[in-house]
Amino acid sequence: MAFSRSLLLAAIGMGTAMGSGVAVAQTNDAYRKTVTQRAERIVAALDISDSGQRDRVVGLIADQYVDLSDAHAARDAALEEEGSDAQAIRDASHRVVVEHHRKFIATLSAELTPQQVDGVKNGMTYGVVPITYEGYLRLVPNLSDEQKRMILANLLEAREYAMDAGSSDEKHGWFGKYKGRINNRLSAAGIDLKQAERDLPKRRAAEQAK
């Protein structure tokens, strides 16, 4: 059967993939506690002095985690139904997730500066963007400004998708996909990344000897 967006939304609203009754409440409460603690750690790095604002942002992040979890659970439950249209389900789920993402960023941007919003995005994706970007700069110190912009643009695009992923593996998978694109672009420009990796320890040793 074709699984429409409205049916998927109904499944999310009813908690289809989560069971029913007391077990659902206990599962939801436990998850809410976990993601609230995660949100508090993210917000702690933003240097927000106003306690009310801080609490609102923690709530927004926790809500986003819960909404994404519900969407992914509903998708997975629908995919398990006999005769389900897998592509239609994934397409409908994607639209739901994109809408959650859009609303989350818009609401977050009303509370925070662009730099703080970036901080939230990095917090939700394990800081992969700054870590990986700095890694490329260390690996290939003679990158052109255009190449640096290309690397950062790809990592930032990957981060938007990774924010909405349902697991750590999925988040890292998005970055892996975009790192592949980056590496292909650098290789096409004549940069031997494998040789750069072999040269890196020697360059570090030389720098430390200075």
Side-chain angles (χ1 to χ4, degrees), residues 99-146:
E99 184 64 12
H100 282 317
H101 184 101
R102 184 192 67 78
K103 290 182 177 179
F104 174 59
I105 297 303
T107 309
L108 203 62
S109 297
E111 289 281 357
L112 302 174
T113 66
Q115 292 76 18
Q116 288 173 322
V117 172
D118 270 346
V120 172
K121 292 180 177 183
N122 285 332
M124 295 179 73
T125 53
Y126 315 122
V128 171
V129 168
I131 292 170
T132 305
Y133 182 67
E134 290 300 321
Y136 275 110
L137 297 186
R138 289 194 302 271
L139 186 64
V140 190
N142 59 340
L143 288 167
S144 68
D145 289 342
E146 182 179 354

Side-chain angles (χ1 to χ4, degrees), residues 3 19 26 32 35 48 50 63 77 87 90 93 109 113 116 125 129-130 151 166 172 181 185 190 195 204:
F3 199 82
Q26 291 174 340
R32 164 68 68 170
V35 296
I48 299 175
D50 183 272
D63 286 344
Q87 191 57 54
R90 292 191 177 94
S93 179
S109 297
T113 66
Q116 288 173 322
T125 53
V129 168
I151 291 170
H172 286 293
R181 293 183 182 182
R185 291 279 298 275
Q195 185 60 49
R204 282 178 174 171

Side-chain angles (χ1 to χ4, degrees), residues 40-48 119:
E40 288 171 345
R41 290 194 294 271
I42 292 171
V43 173
L46 302 181
D47 194 27
I48 299 175

Side-chain angles (χ1 to χ4, degrees), residues 33-104:
K33 181 178 180 180
T34 296
V35 296
T36 298
Q37 292 172 342
R38 190 181 304 166
E40 288 171 345
R41 290 194 294 271
I42 292 171
V43 173
L46 302 181
D47 194 27
I48 299 175
S49 57
D50 183 272
S51 60
Q53 182 188 24
R54 187 166 57 247
D55 290 344
R56 288 194 301 274
V57 175
V58 167
L60 288 173
I61 298 170
D63 286 344
Q64 176 69 352
Y65 277 123
V66 171
D67 287 343
L68 291 175
S69 177
D70 287 347
H72 295 142
R75 176 201 61 198
D76 294 344
L79 287 170
E80 292 177 0
E81 290 184 7
E82 184 176 354
S84 63
D85 184 337
Q87 191 57 54
I89 291 168
R90 292 191 177 94
D91 289 344
S93 179
H94 175 70
R95 290 192 291 272
V96 171
V97 168
V98 167
E99 184 64 12
H100 282 317
H101 184 101
R102 184 192 67 78
K103 290 182 177 179
F104 174 59

